């Protein structure tokens, strides 16, 4: 007679593990969008690093007209025009669905912005400054739109002010950090100084 209390695991069948997107309560599109953006950032950074270490294009440098500069510039375009707006929209959707994965997406917007703007600004290819300015405009529009939508939701759901306050404050902090990073990039450019030091000292 079968014992109804025995589970399939007890019969030797391995327990099924929950997919990562279910464990984090995030849908696949949100995870893929975030991880794809992270990979772009890492690839762009590694290309420049390997170039300054003399491994890739040792006789040239990032900013000169070569395949590496074009590749990094293209990565910057994808990050600033597609990845960051996607993370904004995805995080807002997760926020509305009361999914805390929005916090992780918003967190990665800032480093993506920092490196994406650097990739565009320092590539020095034709029209790179135009793409740099336009990307700032696109991100600003998406940022303002997300902030406005968050404010409208806050007015409708005054019973959950703490969660809405966290999301709104995250966007406000991003606004301040954007200004600081752009000023830092234009007037000091610490990444360029770091890569120059690597090229000349290692």
């Amino acid at each position: 007679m079968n014992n109804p209390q025995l589970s399939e695991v007890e019969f030797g069948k391995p327990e099924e593990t929950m997919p990562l997107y279910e464990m984090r309560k995030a849908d696949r599109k949100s995870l893929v969008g975030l991880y794809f953006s992270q990979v772009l950032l890492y690839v762009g950074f590694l290309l420049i690093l390997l170039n300054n270490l003399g491994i890739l294009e040792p006789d040239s440098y990032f900013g000169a007209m070569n395949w590496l500069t074009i590749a990094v510039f293209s990565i910057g375009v994808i990050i600033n025009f597609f990845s960051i707006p996607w993370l904004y929209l995805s995080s807002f959707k997760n926020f509305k669905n009361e999914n805390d994965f929005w916090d992780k997406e918003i967190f990665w917007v800032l480093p993506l912005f920092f490196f994406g703007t650097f990739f565009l600004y320092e590539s020095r290819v034709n029209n790179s400054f135009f793409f740099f300015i336009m990307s700032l405009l696109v991100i600003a529009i998406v940022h303002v739109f997300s902030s406005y939508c968050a404010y409208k939701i806050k007015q409708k759901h005054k019973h959950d002010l703490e969660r809405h306050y966290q999301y709104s404050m995250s966007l406000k902090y991003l606004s301040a950090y954007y200004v600081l990073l752009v000023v830092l990039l234009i007037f000091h450019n610490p990444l360029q100084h770091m890569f120059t030091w690597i090229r000349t000292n290692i």
Side-chain angles (χ1 to χ4, degrees):
M1 184 174 179
N2 292 334
N3 188 344
Q5 294 180 345
L6 291 177
S7 66
E8 291 181 336
V9 177
E10 291 175 294
F11 278 110
K13 183 177 180 179
E15 184 178 2
E16 294 182 2
T17 58
M18 292 181 63
L20 182 61
Y21 68 91
E22 289 185 6
M23 293 172 61
R24 295 188 177 181
K25 298 189 300 181
D27 59 72
R28 295 179 189 229
K29 291 182 180 179
S30 295
L31 281 171
V32 170
L34 177 60
Y35 293 154
F36 176 72
S37 301
Q38 291 172 335
V39 168
L40 287 176
L41 188 156
Y42 297 143
V43 170
F45 179 83
L46 283 175
L47 285 175
I48 301 176
L49 179 62
L50 293 175
N51 170 246
N52 284 277
L53 290 173
I55 298 174
L56 292 178
E57 290 287 338
D59 297 327
S60 188
Y61 59 92
F62 172 61
M65 187 53 65
N66 53 51
W67 70 266
L68 186 141
T69 298
I70 298 300
V72 175
F73 170 77
S74 301
I75 290 174
V77 169
I78 297 173
I79 287 177
N80 279 24
F81 284 93
F82 298 99
S83 292
I84 292 178
W86 167 263
L87 289 179
Y88 265 106
L89 298 177
S90 178
S91 66
F92 181 70
K93 181 192 70 175
N94 286 321
F95 168 72
K96 287 199 304 181
N97 294 335
E98 299 185 1
N99 186 334
D100 289 338
F101 193 72
W102 70 262
D103 188 46
K104 190 176 183 67
E105 292 174 302
I106 287 295
F107 172 82
W108 273 95
V109 165
L110 196 62
L112 285 167
F113 174 80
F114 183 49
F115 282 92
T117 51
F118 172 77
F119 295 160
L120 291 177
Y121 186 75
E122 283 299 324
S123 64
R124 310 295 183 184
V125 301
N126 292 335
N127 299 320
S128 62
F129 188 73
F130 170 78
F131 280 95
F132 169 73
I133 296 298
M134 290 303 298
S135 72
L136 296 183
L137 181 61
V138 169
I139 293 171
I141 291 173
V142 176
H143 181 83
V144 171
F145 175 76
S146 299
S147 300
Y148 174 76
C149 291
Y151 173 78
K152 297 296 290 184
I153 292 179
K154 181 180 178 181
Q155 298 302 309
K156 294 181 180 179
H157 300 83
K158 295 186 177 181
H159 62 282
D160 192 12
L161 291 179
E162 182 178 356
R163 192 172 66 88
H164 290 81
Y165 175 80
Q166 292 175 348
Y167 185 76
S168 298
M169 287 305 297
S170 296
L171 295 180
K172 289 180 180 179
Y173 282 128
L174 276 179
S175 302
Y177 289 139
Y178 282 155
V179 175
L180 290 175
L181 289 181
V182 170
V183 171
L184 186 65
L185 176 66
I186 294 176
F187 293 101
H188 183 65
N189 204 344
L191 282 177
Q192 184 61 37
H193 287 302
M194 181 189 74
F195 287 126
T196 300
W197 184 89
I198 291 174
R199 174 178 286 272
T200 56
N201 292 276
I202 297 180

